[in-house]
Amino acid sequence: MKNVLEYLERSAARDPDKVAFADVNEEITYAQLLQRAKEIGSALAKQFPVRTPIPIYREKSVDTICLVFGAVYAGCYYVMLDLRHPKARIEQILATLETDVVVTDARQASRLSRMELDVTLLDVEELDAAVDEGWLAQIRAAHLDIDPLYGIFTSGSTGKPKGVLIAHRSVIDFIDVFTETFAIDEQAVIGNQAPWDFDVSVKDIYSTICSGATMQIIPKAYFSMPTKLLDFLCEREVTTLIWAVSALCILSTLKGFDYRVPTHLKKVMFSGEIMPMKQLQIWHSVLPEVTYVNLYGPTEITCNCTYHIVCEQDLQRGMLPIGRPFPNERILLLDEDDREIVEPDVKGEICVSGTAVGLGYLNNQEQSDRVFVQNPLNSCWQERIYRTGDIGYLDEEGLLFFSGRRDFQIKHMGHRIELSDIECALTAIDGVARSCCLYEQEHILAFYEGEGERRELLRELKKTLPAFMLPDQFLQMERFPLTKNGKVDRAALKEYWEVNKG
């Protein structure tokens, strides 16, 4: 297999009338999805050269999944644009993609028009519906499994978002193992929580078409309405959740299970943040027969590289390991001199090797070369690894534990964020001379020198940053404390916040 479309075609041939994807308004069978994706793909192939990006600006839905697979049939890779992004962020992404064409629908086209973006809007609903089998066959024949499948943009340390490119081969390699490891089959009903510009959704989408399962697309609004969310899970008989930690905690912290228990659940997998043990214990007490899995891994290595199936011992010791590597992925724990750490309780950087390692950052060779590097333990042949920047350690049993970040990247509300990205945006505002951001107790703290007022700073940042990157607190300082080396003393800033957070 060298193209993810083979998953879709195989499932459509095996069970054409089975529901593949459903949202609150409609559903689509595998046969219908295959037909519609080919129609869209034939039309998009006339608009986009192969192996080029197709930016998609739409709400997640049955119609949108048809568009996603249509982009793949066109021989291109898709990039989902977050509808919450401000104009400046979208412009940065499109500049990186080197395109001025966005595929959307009439409703979202109106929103983009109000932003006054200098782009060409292509309405998917107006595309020619004729399938060109000959053209699609030519595209498929020229396809390589190393061709990119999708791009996901993450926060960047230079103030510009980084576009992570992932190839077909990486997804196939990971999804085959993922579905086998957790016995995800045609009986599964996967409840999709993650936005489609977030790599957690990759597991939902491709596990579905690989196994011939059904994916139920949960509206974003339901995650602020626990009763509606639980009704959806129960009425749609959802069996499998692959969610961000924060999404799971919504139900447990708001006592949603007092209202209703989703008894069809069999598997609950989580990632993106450290799972609070109190919340996991609530889930386990309500649904003790469910299999709970802690997943770890950055976008750059195709979703996840390690996993740990939760056991009773974990619930007692109060800290979850991120576990062991998936088959065909190798975890290297390297010290500051790039020597491998094998003994327990010694911290080092988590690095990943294997087919699932991504293609790098789009149009950003300098940053790619910094973290997609030659394995320092291998001088005999070329072996690319990804340096995650995460710090971990092994226990006596060889289980891997996450211990924090090497740099100033954080995980906040399920998103990986470079604090320097926020600093760049803040310093660009009139009235801010310097800025420094910290992350403490799940709060983004923005320290700054200058005369700017909090309300004005927040208004300006909303023009360039998505909501999940906005600081929770602004702390104005006459002058930053400095270390003996002349750098901003972050420890002193933290102390200042502790004293004044009152």
Side-chain angles (χ1 to χ4, degrees), residues 438 440 445 447 489-499:
L438 302 182
E440 297 294 333
L445 312 177
F447 298 83
D489 191 337
R490 293 172 181 266
L493 289 180
K494 179 181 177 181
E495 290 178 11
Y496 176 86
W497 174 72
E498 290 283 358
V499 171

Side-chain angles (χ1 to χ4, degrees), residues 241 243-253 268-270 275 283:
L241 303 183
W243 286 9
V245 166
S246 55
L248 289 174
C249 291
I250 287 171
L251 292 179
S252 52
T253 57
V268 174
M269 309 180 202
F270 45 88
M275 168 60 85
W283 272 84

Side-chain angles (χ1 to χ4, degrees), residues 264-311:
H264 290 90
L265 281 181
K266 296 180 180 178
K267 301 177 182 73
V268 174
M269 309 180 202
F270 45 88
S271 60
E273 300 165 277
I274 296 174
M275 168 60 85
M277 290 304 299
K278 287 184 178 179
Q279 304 309 317
L280 180 57
Q281 288 165 350
I282 292 172
W283 272 84
H284 188 266
S285 66
V286 174
L287 293 162
E289 301 303 317
V290 165
T291 297
Y292 297 92
V293 184
N294 189 22
L295 300 167
Y296 163 81
T299 302
E300 287 85 345
I301 52 81
T302 315
C303 303
N304 301 123
C305 54
T306 71
Y307 71 98
H308 177 73
I309 298 174
V310 177
C311 61

Side-chain angles (χ1 to χ4, degrees), residues 368-376 383-387:
S368 295
D369 291 343
R370 200 171 294 148
V371 292
F372 293 90
V373 302
Q374 171 65 21
N375 180 359
E383 180 189 354
R384 285 171 73 247
I385 66 170
Y386 175 68
R387 306 192 72 122

